[in-house]
Structure formats: C-alpha cells, structure tokens
Amino acid sequence: MTLRYKAYLIDLDGTIYKGKDRIPSAEKFIERLQLEEIPFLFVTNNATKTPQEVADNLANHYHITVLPDLVYTSGVATADYIKEHITGQKAFVIGEKALKEQLQLAGYQVVDQDPDFIVQALDRELTYQKLEKATLAIREGLPYIVTNGDTNMPTERGFVPGSGAITAFLRAATQTEPIMIGKPSPIIMQGALDKLNHMLQSNQEEATLLSKEDLVMVGDNYQTDILAGIDFGMDTLMVLTGFSTLDDIKGKEKQPTHVITDLSQWSLR
C-alpha cells in the first residue's frame, strides 16, 4: 500500500499533548512516523519558546525525541518572513526572550529606539511604555508584524490573554492591520513547506520536492490548524483531543478532510 501522505505538518498543544497532560495515542503516532521515516514538522503558534526548548519539553515530558529542526514556531516563521519581505535590520520587539533570540539568531538587532520594523507577540512583561513606543512607530508607517493572533491561551486557571489580545490594543491605537504570521495565516504554512523541502534536499541532493498535495495538516483547533490547512490548499486531519469539537464544525462551509477521535485511529497507508 502507498502512503496516504508523503509528509505531515503537526500542531502541538491539543494534538500531541494537552497542557501538561500526555496523549499516548499521539506519542505512538509520532513513533510510527519515525519508524516509517515519513517526514514531519511540528508547527506551533507559540513564539515564547525556541525550537530547542520545545524539543526539550517533548523529550522530558511527552516521550517524544526530535531534533529542534523539526519544530517550526511562529517566531521562526516571523524571522523567515522578515528575511524575505522586510527591509532593515533593527526590530522593536513586544515579545519574550525566545522571540528576541530567534530574531538575533537570524541576524537582526533588537532595539529600543529608531527601529526599522515592529514585531509583536505574547509578552507577559508588557508595559504601557512598550505599547506607546510600538504605537508611535506603527503610526509613522513602519511595518508591523505579529507572530500569531491567538487571543487567549488555555491554562490550569482558565483562558488568559494571548498575543492577539495585545494585537487588539495596537490595532485600535494605530488603526493599522498587522502582517499576521501564525496559523491560520498561509505565511507560516508556506514557511513550513519550504523548511521541509530544504531539509529533504539537505539530506538527499536529488530529493523530489513536496507539494501541498503531498502533505496533511494535523491539528485540534478548527480556527487555527484546520483553517490554516484548508486556506493553504492542503488536506487536513482534525483530532478531537483538544480544543474543537464536532459541534464546532457542524454547518461550517469549510470542512476538515478527515476527522478522528484520536491519532490511534489514523493509518499511514
């Protein structure tokens, strides 16, 4: 039997784990992909952790061992986008340590004054002064880039403000729509596809490049993971282990290609 898909893009929270809780069927699914040597890439909107930190978390808490290269965060996708589309080297960042490190690793300066562009993500040390600086710069016409639009984050205490809540403030203060990088934006999806193809070519010089039709986007959140895949022209596999339910997609014009209870139900062939 031939493979259903040649490669997988896979969400993390709600799909591979749920908060601090393990999802054993998801762990076994990743093990099956590794045994079959099927390429995959974790694609996450979380810009507060570096790929290395995500890989360490997977190994330490969820029995999944991967290289950091197999983790594509919205922070990495943001750096990739800036490299291709934005002029200048100086970034004013509303965001946390991991995002700043990612931009510096890509060759950019993180500055407090006279930036060339603004990058905004979740910032749990947010101050009015930071918002003021970003507002003035955006109103001057500088590019405004947002890692992800998630308005809330699930925690053991309930849903708390996410990156998108900060975006809502700056959108209201500047009357400016940002360049949105994370899911459901096609920008992170194109970046993930390009990264997969780059890795394949690095491992095998004459590797056949993957197209959208070769991949499936696996996720639990209809509004981010599934719409990201659908709007990018990719098949989608929705798992009911996390955020969205069958009731959430009932009557939706855009439907997932596949819906399963958990990843133990999924055959690779």
Side-chain angles (χ1 to χ4, degrees):
M1 293 176 65
T2 59
L3 291 171
R4 283 195 183 190
Y5 296 101
K6 294 179 181 178
Y8 287 74
L9 301 181
I10 307 167
D11 174 56
L12 284 170
D13 200 354
T15 303
I16 298 301
Y17 51 80
K18 190 173 183 180
K20 295 180 180 179
D21 296 332
R22 293 173 56 198
I23 303 177
S25 59
E27 295 170 9
K28 291 184 182 300
F29 171 69
I30 298 302
E31 186 179 325
R32 284 191 284 146
L33 290 177
Q34 291 171 325
L35 287 172
E36 293 267 3
E37 297 185 344
I38 299 171
F40 66 91
L41 192 67
F42 290 120
V43 182
T44 174
N45 273 0
N46 189 345
T48 66
K49 287 184 170 62
T50 65
Q52 183 65 63
E53 288 170 332
V54 174
D56 290 344
N57 183 49
L58 288 170
N60 294 335
H61 299 104
Y62 305 104
H63 299 195
I64 294 173
T65 302
V66 293
L67 294 173
D69 270 356
L70 295 183
V71 179
Y72 197 64
T73 71
S74 63
V76 178
T78 295
D80 288 346
Y81 178 85
I82 291 168
K83 194 176 299 183
E84 292 293 325
H85 300 282
I86 304 296
T87 302
Q89 294 295 313
K90 296 183 292 181
F92 178 75
V93 179
I94 292 180
E96 300 187 359
K97 181 182 176 184
L99 176 60
K100 293 175 182 179
E101 287 180 357
Q102 202 62 58
L103 290 169
Q104 289 168 333
L105 188 63
Y108 297 100
Q109 302 172 48
V110 175
V111 299
D112 285 328
Q113 302 290 336
D114 300 319
D116 298 312
F117 52 88
I118 311 302
V119 178
Q120 179 251 301
L122 175 65
D123 187 341
R124 284 167 287 200
E125 295 183 352
L126 182 65
T127 64
Y128 184 85
Q129 184 184 39
K130 290 181 184 178
L131 291 167
E132 184 181 76
K133 285 184 178 181
T135 296
L136 292 171
I138 294 165
R139 291 185 73 92
E140 286 177 4
L142 295 189
Y144 171 33
I145 304 138
V146 174
T147 60
N148 67 290
D150 299 20
T151 55
N152 294 92
M153 298 187 306
T155 72
E156 61 276 7
R157 293 172 287 123
F159 286 96
V160 299
S163 170
I166 301 172
T167 306
F169 182 106
L170 290 174
R171 186 186 280 117
T174 64
Q175 302 299 302
T176 300
E177 284 298 320
I179 300 164
M180 194 67 68
I181 303 296
K183 298 174 289 185
S185 169
I187 292 175
I188 195 170
M189 302 300 286
Q190 184 64 59
L193 177 58
D194 291 344
K195 182 173 178 62
L196 263 181
N197 277 322
H198 177 74
M199 288 192 299
L200 287 174
Q201 286 184 313
S202 297
N203 294 331
Q204 186 180 345
E205 287 186 8
E206 298 184 6
T208 303
L209 292 181
L210 296 167
S211 66
K212 297 177 186 180
E213 293 75 22
D214 296 322
L215 278 73
V216 63
M217 177 68 214
V218 184
D220 68 295
N221 189 322
Y222 175 81
Q223 295 295 336
T224 55
D225 310 319
I226 303 306
L227 284 183
I230 292 172
D231 291 344
F232 190 58
M234 184 181 291
D235 280 2
T236 54
L237 171 59
M238 179 172 155
V239 291
L240 303 176
T241 51
F243 187 80
S244 297
T245 66
L246 288 176
D247 284 341
D248 292 329
I249 63 172
K250 195 176 294 182
K252 297 286 188 185
E253 181 181 350
K254 299 177 180 180
Q255 287 288 317
T257 315
H258 316 276
V259 181
I260 56 176
T261 301
D262 64 57
L263 285 163
S264 67
Q265 299 179 335
W266 184 251
S267 171
L268 300 177
R269 298 181 182 276

